[in-house]
Amino acid sequence: MAGLARIALASSAGFRTLKPVLLLCLLAALVLAEPNAVGQSDYTPAPENLKARKEFQDARFGMFIHWGVYSVLGAGEWVFRDRKLTVDEYNHLPLFFDPEKFDAKVWVDLAKASGMKYITITSRHHDGFAMFDSKLSDWTVVKRTPYKRDPLKMLADECHRQGIKLFFYYSQLDWHNPDYYPRGWTGWDSGRPNAGNWDRYLDEYMDGQLSELLSNYGPIGGIWFDGMWDKPDADWHLSKTYALIHQLQPAALIISNHHQTPKPGEDVQTFERDLPGHNSAGFNTQYISNQLPLESSDTVNESWGFNIGDDKYKSPEELVHRLVRAAGNNSNLLLNVGPMPNGEIQPEFVSRLLAVGQWLSKYGDSIYGTRGGPIPAGDWGVTTRKENKIYVHVLDWAAPLLALAPIPGTITAANSLADGSPLEFTQNANGVILRLPQAQNHEADRVVVLTWQKPN
Ligand code: H79
């Protein structure tokens, strides 16, 4: 199976373009689906964890950061595998990582100005390289780079100063450590020995690094796991790892991008490049938890790690739409930037994020602290709700009247969020008809606030 995947995946074009692979994955997902894995039955979240979940949902918008020694090559975070580099070859990369322009304050300021309420950064990606001061190996930013410092410590300190939550992305998949053995779908070209100690990898190395992340950086938002999909049928000792995390920091949320139904101990369900349940990416699950907070991750261009040739930037309007559609689907949006090797975030990202922040400074009431609204989403747009308000987000509708599905209870007023002006509406058993305000030039979203008297 792994050999087959190796052939199927041996393109440097990246996964997006590999339709047969996605088909394979879909089949694999069907075979591996665990119908009983939806429950949280073995796990009772601590009260502080439940509080953190609610705060997470209220935040609605976070900044994803992919940054590592791969950034040096400007070819994305999969360059190790895409170029079929060996461990010996890849070992040269840290020698060029010296981000003289890195300033944690600039990043946190940008997140804040963009309306983002939390940050999730790669503490290590699939190359296994620790971007923090780990004592578990010498494959770390402190020991192998001329920079010699711990950027995650600086970022954590700055996040604490500015009161923004920091989450650590952690790849369970490792293309560098020989103990990641037996291998899974990926990591076959790195020239490692065909032997390794899987239990040692999990129990000593991975859990050891996670203990460091949960002990040395103050209170953190949580751990965002990725890469379990590489060996979906392996024993990952999850209950041990999850118990360790919850014991060290009960409020820390465990989020896993394994593309499966949530497992006991997980606190958030995340969807990569997708709205919950949509599975347009081809490898996500269609199951949507009705208990856990939801999150959708996405990119500003089409890459996670810095990719110098990727100019497929989404427009600010498109980014606002993704945020709004996520919120309408009761989900957060975790929007990615891949900083350059010098530590700067490229201006194409900065300008677009600031534009989203501008939009949020005006329309944020319809996003922050909301949950998915009572009216089914459609091509026209979505709804969100908060207390006695329903926010109707009109994203794509040219006609002056918009007919919405029936809403239980009574709508007592309709106002434009932009200027508060009252709007005409009628409500009957067939639904609600709204007379929309005229669309302004380049207006990403016309937001109508319905005042809602719910039925008792
Ligand atoms: O960190 C970013 C990416 O590097 C990482 N996740 C985001 C957040 C990522 N790695 N791979 N992918 C995303 C695409 C996943 C492809 C897969 Fe498959 C298709 C995984 C599961 C289905 C290959 C085939 C691996 C398993 C089956």
Side-chain angles (χ1 to χ4, degrees), residues 15 25 66 77-78 125-126 169 185 226 229 272 283 304:
F15 279 48
C25 300
H66 276 69
E77 76 290 353
W78 272 62
H125 204 264
H126 307 335
Y169 170 110
W185 291 89
D226 197 6
W229 41 259
E272 178 174 336
F283 49 69
W304 300 99

Side-chain angles (χ1 to χ4, degrees), residues 7 9-10 160 186 216 230 239 264 317 332 342 347 413 423 454:
I7 295 163
L9 298 175
H160 288 130
T186 62
N216 303 339
D230 187 58
S239 49
E317 291 76 23
N332 290 12
N342 71 352
L423 302 172
K454 282 188 234 176

Side-chain angles (χ1 to χ4, degrees), residues 28 32 34 37 78 124-126 169-175 180 182-186 198 201-202 206 210 223-239 241-242 254-266 270 272 283:
L32 298 165
E34 293 175 63
W78 272 62
R124 48 165 254 178
H125 204 264
H126 307 335
Y169 170 110
Y170 189 93
S171 171
Q172 294 152 296
L173 161 61
D174 191 321
W175 292 331
Y180 187 90
R183 288 185 278 274
W185 291 89
T186 62
W198 179 243
Y201 172 74
L202 294 175
M206 199 178 85
L210 289 167
I223 302 290
W224 205 99
F225 285 113
D226 197 6
M228 227 182 84
W229 41 259
D230 187 58
K231 290 175 68 171
D233 41 1
D235 179 357
W236 287 89
H237 304 187
L238 283 188
S239 49
T241 300
Y242 289 178
I254 296 177
I255 307 174
S256 180
N257 184 35
H258 49 42
H259 308 155
Q260 301 174 32
T261 49
K263 296 172 185 304
E266 294 170 5
T270 199
E272 178 174 336
F283 49 69

Side-chain angles (χ1 to χ4, degrees), residues 316-318 320-321 359 394-396 441-446:
E317 291 76 23
E318 172 66 17
V320 167
H321 280 204
W359 183 85
V394 184
L395 302 176
D396 187 9
N441 266 351
H442 300 298
E443 199 173 21
D445 179 9
R446 277 174 290 169

